[in-house]
């Protein structure tokens, strides 16, 4: 049992340290993080489109079943061959969407009854969504950095959790070793 715990705690410790390294890399090279995400999304879109076309061909389904496959292949090619334009276009679309969603929430809050408990939340979320949308439209690089910060924060949280677990497993291992002696 002690040997198993030794392997476990070392594994958790290494994984935690790797998560910290990922977080540091993402914080110091946010553009590389976004480029990798765009590349992975492009590969996924190409594979997804290929699978869709293969399925439509195998099922002998003409017409609209081919459209999603070809569209996915086109999006995948755009993401892979024009990643810079793709990221800016992606953030522009997200910005427009967030702006319209925020405006809709803000209008719903204005139309809600004065004593509605959700009115304040709708209003606040709507205003924040509009602000995020405007930032994504006019300063798309900021959106890329923000996404990198979220990834870094999650990696740091994972690293802390894994190291915490490693230290507790190490403590349990030492406790078991003392009981044997």
């Amino acid at each position: 049992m002690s040997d198993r715990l030794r392997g476990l705690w070392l594994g958790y410790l290494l994984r935690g340290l790797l998560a910290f390294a990922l977080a540091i890399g993402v914080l110091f090279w946010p553009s590389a993080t976004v480029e990798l995400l765009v590349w992975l999304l492009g590969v996924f879109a190409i594979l997804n489109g290929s699978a869709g076309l293969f399925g439509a061909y195998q099922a002998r389904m003409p017409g609209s079943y081919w459209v999603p496959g070809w569209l996915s292949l086109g999006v995948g090619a755009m993401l892979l061959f024009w990643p810079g334009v793709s990221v800016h276009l992606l953030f522009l679309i997200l910005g427009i969407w967030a702006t319209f969603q925020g405006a809709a929430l803000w209008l719903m809050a204005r139309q809600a009854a004065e004593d509605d408990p959700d009115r304040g939340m709708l209003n606040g979320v709507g205003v924040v969504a509009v602000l995020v949308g405007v930032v994504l439209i006019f300063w798309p690089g900021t959106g890329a950095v923000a996404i990198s910060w979220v990834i870094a924060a999650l990696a740091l949280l994972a690293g802390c959790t894994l190291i915490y677990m490693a230290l507790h497993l190490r403590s349990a291992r030492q406790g078991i070793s003392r009981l044997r002696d």
Side-chain angles (χ1 to χ4, degrees):
M1 179 68 155
S2 179
D3 289 337
R4 285 186 187 166
L5 285 178
R6 184 174 145 256
L8 278 176
W9 90 263
L10 284 173
Y12 277 102
L13 180 66
L14 290 174
R15 291 170 57 202
L17 293 173
L18 285 172
F20 271 123
L22 172 67
I24 289 168
V26 168
L27 281 174
F28 286 107
W29 296 287
S31 62
T33 302
V34 173
E35 288 174 16
L36 177 62
L37 289 173
V38 168
W39 184 82
L40 289 172
L41 187 57
V43 169
F44 170 78
I46 295 239
L47 293 174
N48 182 53
S50 299
L53 290 175
F54 178 76
Y57 175 76
Q58 289 295 315
R60 309 265 192 261
M61 303 292 280
S64 63
Y65 288 96
W66 293 90
V67 173
W70 286 112
L71 184 62
S72 187
L73 283 175
V75 168
M78 188 177 93
L79 289 169
L80 290 176
F81 296 115
W82 298 291
V85 172
S86 302
V87 171
H88 287 290
L89 183 61
L90 176 67
F91 285 135
L92 177 67
I93 291 168
L94 285 173
I96 292 169
W97 176 80
T99 302
F100 280 113
Q101 291 295 317
L105 288 172
W106 184 79
L107 289 173
M108 286 184 349
R110 300 316 253 163
Q111 293 172 353
E114 298 245 354
D115 60 341
D116 188 342
D118 294 331
R119 183 178 177 169
M121 183 194 64
L122 286 172
N123 195 23
V125 170
V127 168
V128 169
V130 167
L131 292 174
V132 167
V134 169
V135 167
L136 288 174
I137 291 169
F138 292 106
W139 300 286
T142 304
V145 171
I147 288 172
S148 296
W149 287 349
V150 169
I151 293 169
L154 292 173
L156 283 172
L157 180 64
C160 288
T161 303
L162 289 166
I163 290 173
Y164 175 80
M165 291 173 56
L167 295 175
H168 276 284
L169 287 170
R170 180 177 165 215
S171 176
R173 178 183 163 264
Q174 289 171 342
I176 290 172
S177 292
R178 280 191 296 261
L179 288 174
R180 284 187 179 169
D181 297 336

